[in-house]
Amino acid sequence: MSCIFCRIVAGEIPAEVVAREPEVTAFLDVQPLADGHVLVVPRAHAACVEDLEQAEADALFRAVVRLAGPVREALGAAGTTIGVNNGEATGQTIPHVHVHIVPRWPDDGAGSIHTIFPRRTRRPLGEVAAAIRRVVG
Ligand code: 5GP
Ligand code: ZN
């Protein structure tokens, strides 16, 4: 098994696990962006969100919802930024789906999700929405 997160889930390599469920494991990021930076991962290997089975996705998001409050409370944080780098082109470095939960404070110097984008849009909203609706069906 070469995937590092599969190995953490299997208990083959150490991690600071904060929650373990049949379908989901949550552990501290080894290079935290802030104290309490947690990664929530599905047991089954899937590279991207689109590769998750529905039940895996349900369990993953349920765990994120269940952990967000306790992570915030444990660190005395004002909120959490929750995000997924979904695909190599987005900066995903470990190709096993993982949800970042990062505690936030008003003066922590970090921005919102909006601050990672330079807002380079080219197409009108209606055209974009229609294109997506066609594929969603
Ligand atoms: P990504 O950029 O793929 O969304 O984030 C991967 C995260 O996994 C990074 O924040 C990185 O610090 C973390 N990470 C990489 N290797 C390990 C490891 O072996 N153990 C733990 N706990 N975290 C890791
Ligand atoms: Zn894996």
Side-chain angles (χ1 to χ4, degrees):
M1 199 192 302
S2 62
C3 171
I4 201 154
F5 286 177
C6 281
R7 298 185 70 193
I8 287 174
V9 170
E12 288 180 11
I13 58 173
E16 290 291 351
V17 173
V18 297
R20 199 184 282 283
E21 300 175 357
E23 296 302 322
V24 177
T25 302
F27 52 89
L28 294 186
D29 193 298
V30 78
Q31 290 186 293
L33 296 172
D35 288 336
H37 181 174
V38 166
L39 301 175
V40 190
V41 310
R43 180 186 55 77
H45 182 88
C48 291
V49 163
E50 298 91 313
D51 300 328
L52 291 169
E53 300 293 337
Q54 187 64 58
E56 294 165 351
D58 291 350
L60 181 63
F61 200 68
R62 259 200 310 276
V64 170
V65 170
R66 188 171 81 74
L67 288 166
V71 168
R72 179 167 166 165
E73 186 184 328
L75 277 300
T80 51
T81 291
I82 295 176
V84 178
N85 291 320
N86 193 40
E88 195 179 352
T90 72
Q92 184 182 5
T93 57
I94 309 283
H96 181 133
V97 176
H98 49 283
V99 180
H100 295 260
I101 303 179
V102 188
R104 298 293 306 273
W105 293 267
D107 58 350
D108 63 12
S112 73
I113 286 172
H114 292 67
T115 62
I116 54 182
F117 293 92
R119 282 193 195 274
R120 284 202 199 110
T121 57
R122 297 184 195 87
R123 298 166 63 181
L125 289 186
E127 181 187 312
V128 171
I132 295 171
R133 279 194 295 265
R134 269 196 298 278
V135 180
V136 169

